[in-house]
Amino acid sequence: MDFAGKKYKMISSENFDDYMKALGVGLVTRKMGNAVTPTVEVSEKDGTYTLKTSSTFKNSEISFKLGEEFEEETVDGRKVKSVVTKDGNKLIHVQKGEKETTIIREFNGDEMKAILKVDDVVCTRVYKSE
Ligand code: ACD
């Protein structure tokens, strides 16, 4: 897993405000969410992955085995049932709750691209390893 153990820092974000709006996130939280540049770290041990997203506003940490459903509380407070699968260099994270959301994290060398989808909204966030 060449992406495990690396720390990625966000360098660009498109449509995150629309993504948050589609999820019903309020103005103040959206402003904060739009202002921060999170870091993402993925690690793996004995088949258990940990994905840590950190920012000066909110943090999130999930642990999972590929293909196994787990409960997740998202940073905007949704309680969802999530499954992460791996397709080559992509981790595909499906979150089922009131709305279904998908986060595809694609790893290429020192870059990680996160593509977040809900309804017909697509948000793209690019990260670079430090
Ligand atoms: C990423 C995005 C991580 C967040 C993905 C979805 C959250 C849904 C709505 C956002 C609500 C509030 C925004 C607050 C903080 C934004 C940064 C979160 C860091 C844990 O992987 O790029």
Side-chain angles (χ1 to χ4, degrees):
M1 227 71 56
D2 64 347
F3 53 81
K6 284 190 184 168
K7 187 171 187 175
Y8 298 86
K9 175 98 180 151
M10 196 183 80
I11 56 159
S12 70
S13 176
E14 272 172 28
N15 259 357
F16 192 48
D17 196 46
D18 286 340
Y19 178 79
M20 290 189 285
K21 269 188 198 164
L23 290 170
V25 178
L27 179 66
V28 175
T29 302
R30 292 208 317 274
K31 278 200 166 185
M32 297 298 288
N34 282 323
V36 292
T37 50
T39 56
V40 169
E41 285 172 276
V42 188
S43 57
E44 186 266 337
K45 190 170 189 282
D46 301 330
T48 298
Y49 287 74
T50 300
L51 182 107
K52 209 189 271 194
T53 309
S54 313
S55 78
T56 49
F57 178 43
K58 284 180 187 284
N59 301 306
S60 129
E61 183 171 326
I62 53 172
S63 289
F64 54 87
K65 288 195 166 160
L66 295 175
E68 288 188 11
E69 187 176 88
F70 60 100
E71 298 199 347
E72 178 183 1
E73 181 162 352
T74 63
V75 286
D76 54 311
R78 285 169 295 138
K79 291 196 168 64
V80 294
K81 292 200 188 298
S82 292
V83 178
V84 181
T85 51
K86 187 171 175 294
D87 177 12
N89 60 342
K90 293 182 193 149
L91 289 178
I92 299 160
H93 180 177
V94 178
Q95 300 168 316
K96 290 191 178 168
E98 226 169 89
K99 288 196 176 195
E100 181 166 323
T101 50
T102 305
I103 304 176
I104 299 172
R105 296 182 178 89
E106 184 176 345
F107 298 86
N108 276 307
D110 65 353
E111 184 182 283
M112 189 272 283
K113 192 182 282 179
I115 299 165
L116 291 71
K117 296 182 187 169
V118 62
D119 300 336
D120 58 350
V121 178
V122 180
C123 158
T124 304
R125 286 155 77 81
V126 178
Y127 285 74
K128 280 265 185 275
S129 67
E130 297 182 319

